[in-house]
Amino acid sequence: MRKLVSIWSVLPKGQQLFLVLLATFIVIPFVVLLFLQVYNAYNLTQLGNDISVKQNAWKHRAARLNANVVPESLKSAANQFAYQLLEVHDDLVAERRLVVTVQQPLGETKQKSGKIVTTEQLLDAANDRIQEIGEQECDALLKTLAGKCTVMSATGRAIGDNAFEYQVQLAFSEKSTLGSVDPEGYYEFRVTKSSPGRAATKSRVFFGKSAALRMRIYKDVATTCATIRAKSGNCSVTSLSVASKLDRGTPMVRLSASAAYATLVPADDITASTR
C-alpha cells in the first residue's frame, strides 16, 4: 500500500488527474455494472428455484394425503379439501355443510281475527323462529340423507318491507357408508357437481310447500350418491346448498340447489403404470 502511495506521489499532476478521471468514468461504473449483473443473475436463479418449488408443492401435498391416489387428481385445493372430507365420511365435521336459504312473507298486519299486528311484532315473531328453522331443517335432513346433523349457525333478516330470509348452516354426516376402497389399490379422485331435485326446482310453488320440496332434494342427493356408489364402489357428499327465494311481490318461491359428490375410481392400467 505504501509503495502504491509513493508511486502515486511521484506521478505528474496530469497523469494523476487522468487516472482519477479513468477510475471515475470507466473503472468504477464497470465494476458496479458487473456487480449488478451478478446480483441480478443470482436473484433470477433464486426466483426460478422458488417458482419450481411452488409448482411442485401440490405434488408433495397430494402424496401426503394419499400416495395411492393419482397426484394430478388432487392438484387443486378444492379437490384436496373434498378428499379430506371423503376420508372422514362417517364423522360429523364442521367442514361438511348444508347451507339452506329460506325466504317467506313476513306476515299480514291484519289477521283474520281482525286483530292488527305491527310490523315490529311480525319481525320479532320471525326472529324468534330462527333457531327453530335450523332444527326443523336438521330433522328433514335426518329423515332423508343424514345419519348425524347439527346446527352450526342460524341467522335471519328482513328483506324489503314484507319478507324475511333465514339462512342456516348444518354440519352433517351421511346415513350410507362410504363404500369399498381397496387400501392397496391405485385410484383417481373425482368430484362430480350437479343441480339435484330438478322436479322440485323446475317451477315456482307457494312458499308453504318449499319445505317438502327441500326434502325431495335431499332424497335426490342420497339417491344420486347411491348410484355413484353402485358404479364406482364409493361415494361421499362433500357439499350441498339449497335455496328457496321469493318471487318479488308474491307468496311464490323458486328453489335452486347444488351438490358435490366425491369418489375414488380405480385408475386405468396406463395411469397406474406411470406410478
Side-chain angles (χ1 to χ4, degrees):
M1 186 66 181
R2 290 181 179 179
K3 187 176 181 179
L4 290 175
V5 172
S6 64
I7 293 173
W8 175 263
S9 65
V10 300
L11 288 175
K13 293 294 183 181
Q15 289 186 0
Q16 289 180 352
L17 179 60
F18 173 76
L19 291 174
V20 169
L21 292 174
L22 180 67
T24 303
F25 294 104
I26 296 178
V27 177
I28 293 177
F30 175 77
V31 172
V32 171
L33 288 174
L34 182 62
F35 171 78
L36 289 175
Q37 286 182 339
V38 173
Y39 179 74
N40 288 336
Y42 172 78
N43 281 342
L44 287 173
T45 301
Q46 290 298 109
L47 180 61
N49 290 336
D50 291 344
I51 292 174
S52 178
V53 169
K54 288 180 180 179
Q55 287 178 336
N56 292 317
W58 65 268
K59 294 182 180 179
H60 300 298
R61 289 195 297 270
R64 285 198 300 269
L65 287 173
N66 192 331
N68 285 346
V69 175
V70 177
E72 286 75 10
S73 67
L74 292 174
K75 185 174 184 178
S76 70
N79 273 23
Q80 292 169 17
F81 178 76
Y83 177 79
Q84 290 173 305
L85 289 180
L86 177 142
E87 279 200 321
V88 291
H89 173 85
D90 295 324
D91 299 332
L92 183 66
V93 293
E95 292 76 13
R96 183 190 292 109
R97 293 193 184 191
L98 162 64
V99 179
V100 185
T101 303
V102 178
Q103 291 182 353
Q104 64 182 53
L106 189 57
E108 298 293 335
T109 56
K110 184 175 181 180
Q111 299 180 348
K112 292 181 179 179
S113 62
K115 181 181 178 181
I116 302 297
V117 180
T118 66
T119 301
E120 288 73 17
Q121 288 174 318
L122 291 174
L123 282 171
D124 289 343
N127 278 301
D128 289 343
R129 295 196 64 223
I130 291 175
Q131 189 63 28
E132 178 188 344
I133 293 292
E135 292 170 354
Q136 287 178 350
E137 211 62 31
C138 243
D139 288 340
L141 201 60
L142 288 168
K143 292 175 181 176
T144 51
L145 172 66
K148 301 174 187 175
C149 178
T150 188
V151 179
M152 296 297 297
S153 69
T155 59
R157 66 186 182 97
I159 49 174
D161 296 327
N162 57 1
F164 201 83
E165 178 181 277
Y166 299 96
Q167 187 178 85
V168 297
Q169 297 190 33
L170 313 174
F172 71 96
S173 63
E174 291 179 63
K175 284 183 178 181
S176 301
T177 59
L178 172 64
S180 60
V181 178
D182 182 1
E184 303 298 323
Y186 193 54
Y187 290 92
E188 180 177 349
F189 181 70
R190 294 180 185 174
V191 176
T192 305
K193 296 182 180 180
S194 72
S195 299
R198 290 185 179 180
T201 59
K202 65 181 180 180
S203 60
R204 66 176 193 165
V205 297
F206 183 65
F207 81 93
K209 295 182 178 180
S210 60
L213 292 184
R214 289 196 299 274
M215 286 190 67
R216 289 176 61 180
I217 291 172
Y218 304 150
K219 289 178 182 178
D220 184 67
V221 171
T223 300
T224 300
C225 204
T227 301
I228 295 173
R229 191 176 294 113
K231 183 178 181 180
S232 303
N234 57 84
C235 178
S236 183
V237 178
T238 56
S239 68
L240 178 58
S241 64
V242 180
S244 58
K245 295 191 175 183
L246 286 166
D247 275 354
R248 183 173 295 182
T250 76
M252 309 299 288
V253 298
R254 293 183 183 274
L255 276 75
S256 61
S258 65
Y261 312 86
T263 184
L264 288 167
V265 180
D268 58 42
D269 294 339
I270 295 178
T271 304
S273 67
T274 61
R275 293 180 62 182

